[in-house]
Amino acid sequence: MTHRADAVGQALERIGREDPRLCAFLEVWPERARAGAEAARGLPLAGMPFAVKGRAGVRAYAARRLAGAGAVPVGSTSVPGPGTPWQTWGQGALGRTVNPWRADRTPGGSSAGAAAAVAAGLVDLATGGDGAGSVRIPAAWCGVFGLKTTNGLLPSPDRTGLASAGVLARSAAGAGVFARHVLDVAVPEAPTGPVAAVFSPDLGYAEVDPEVAAVVGRAVRRLAAAGVVRLVDGGCPLLDPQEAWLSVRGGAVSPGGEEVRRANDAVLDALFARTPLLLTPTTPNRPHGHDGPGATYSTALTWAFNLSGHPAASVPAGFTPDGCPVGLQLVAERGADAELLAAARAVERALPAVRL
């Protein structure tokens, strides 16, 4: 067997050992994966194991591109089960998906199993889809990297235009595989000097958990002190996009929702005309329990960028005092996905990394 074929076997062994506890997978394909690793000899990603989001994920554009380069899907990861609120947890074949850091908390949704599998080291890469934060939220809550690509950059079955393909990885550097073989771009080297950035702790409307805000604030100050970013005044005062997002998803855009969308697009266009990077918390809250989020919208800081179409990523920022991972969201101009990944790599280097 090749080294990469061994990697598939090792991933399958880890899944068999750990997934009864995590419930991150809906299906695992051992025979198919081992055969795929052997058939991929000589291809650029020969035998690299990865996971796909949901049972239909293996047919998604990103998964097909990775497989075409020789990567091997080893299984499909959990998504919210029937009747489960989409904002919350995943339901694996063996039960409720748990957060690898704290089993009493959700990993987030809807790419729940993908984030849990990457965080626990079952695979290094998993595909996801993000219509309101479904890659970035579980990435933040599981302490891994997550990217939502520019809306429309890759094919998506979502007719509303809100959902975009994404990836979850152990690091932004690891997501370079996705960039090269799915986005067909080379990620530039991480910037050597400070990148001008606007930091908005709440986007002008969100109520953020003070402990989450404190973790993100410390991370941003560390980035500024390390010369990774140069903070620019001005903020990013958006209108709450809830009505706009819900009306677009419902297929009947309300006049009020459309006005909010136009106003927010104008603010973001002006911001990215002068500054290449926007920083915010990824979520306003920490991972909630398995009984659900209550009245809190975990999407409060993410779905604005599904409406606007900008690429956005979540990078691990630290932990709340009770041991919950917190994400720092990075947002860039539409189409600047490669530049966003480069900035995320620089951010990662300056922030302390903690891995399971």
Side-chain angles (χ1 to χ4, degrees):
M1 276 192 169
T2 65
H3 172 72
R4 282 280 175 76
D6 288 342
V8 166
Q10 291 163 8
L12 292 169
E13 189 277 330
R14 290 192 297 269
I15 293 167
R17 183 179 68 246
E18 299 293 339
D19 200 50
R21 173 178 64 90
L22 294 171
C23 301
F25 280 84
L26 292 169
E27 297 174 347
V28 183
W29 309 313
E31 293 182 6
R32 173 176 168 183
R34 290 189 179 99
E38 289 301 313
R41 291 176 183 267
L43 294 173
L45 299 179
M48 185 199 83
F50 73 102
V52 300
K53 178 184 177 179
R55 289 189 171 89
V58 75
R59 298 191 298 273
Y61 177 82
R64 289 187 285 110
R65 290 296 306 272
L66 289 169
V72 177
V74 296
S76 61
T77 54
S78 71
V79 292
T84 304
W86 59 267
Q87 300 101 320
T88 58
W89 52 85
Q91 188 73 19
L94 302 174
R96 182 180 62 201
T97 309
V98 303
N99 190 309
W101 291 95
R102 285 193 51 167
D104 64 329
R105 304 297 175 95
T106 172
S110 62
S111 303
V118 170
L122 307 188
V123 291
D124 289 336
L125 194 78
T127 61
D130 190 315
S134 294
V135 164
R136 289 161 287 160
I137 293 167
W141 287 357
C142 290
V144 298
F145 176 79
L147 170 71
K148 178 198 86 71
T149 57
T150 298
N151 291 48
L153 184 65
L154 299 175
S156 170
D158 181 16
R159 294 181 180 179
T160 68
L162 293 171
S164 186
V167 64
L168 296 108
R170 299 279 281 177
S171 66
V177 168
F178 182 90
R180 289 191 300 274
H181 296 282
V182 177
L183 301 180
D184 291 323
V185 296
V187 179
E189 288 297 319
T192 55
V195 176
V198 167
F199 172 50
S200 177
D202 57 11
L203 291 177
Y205 59 82
E207 295 185 10
V208 179
D209 178 329
E211 290 185 352
V212 170
V215 172
V216 172
R218 284 194 297 270
V220 171
R221 290 193 295 274
R222 185 181 185 118
L223 296 176
V228 174
V229 299
R230 175 175 56 81
L231 295 177
V232 176
D233 292 335
C236 185
L238 300 182
L239 300 175
D240 188 340
Q242 178 177 336
E243 179 186 349
W245 191 95
L246 292 173
S247 68
V248 171
R249 174 57 74 193
V253 182
S254 66
E258 186 59 35
E259 179 56 36
V260 166
R261 194 173 191 178
R262 281 197 300 268
N264 285 352
D265 280 352
V267 171
L268 292 168
D269 288 346
L271 185 151
F272 288 114
R274 63 186 174 90
T275 310
L277 197 61
L278 169 64
L279 307 175
T280 80
T282 304
T283 64
N285 51 341
R286 70 192 81 195
H288 55 73
H290 293 282
D291 55 348
T296 300
Y297 277 86
S298 305
T299 55
L301 295 164
T302 52
W303 55 5
F305 307 109
N306 296 89
L307 281 164
S308 69
H310 292 84
S314 182
V315 175
F319 294 82
T320 55
D322 60 350
C324 291
V326 173
L328 169 66
Q329 181 172 226
L330 283 63
V331 188
E333 179 59 283
R334 300 177 190 93
D337 299 62
E339 291 77 9
L340 177 62
L341 278 168
R345 279 163 47 175
V347 166
E348 281 184 341
R349 291 175 187 173
L351 297 179
V354 179
R355 300 286 182 225
L356 282 169

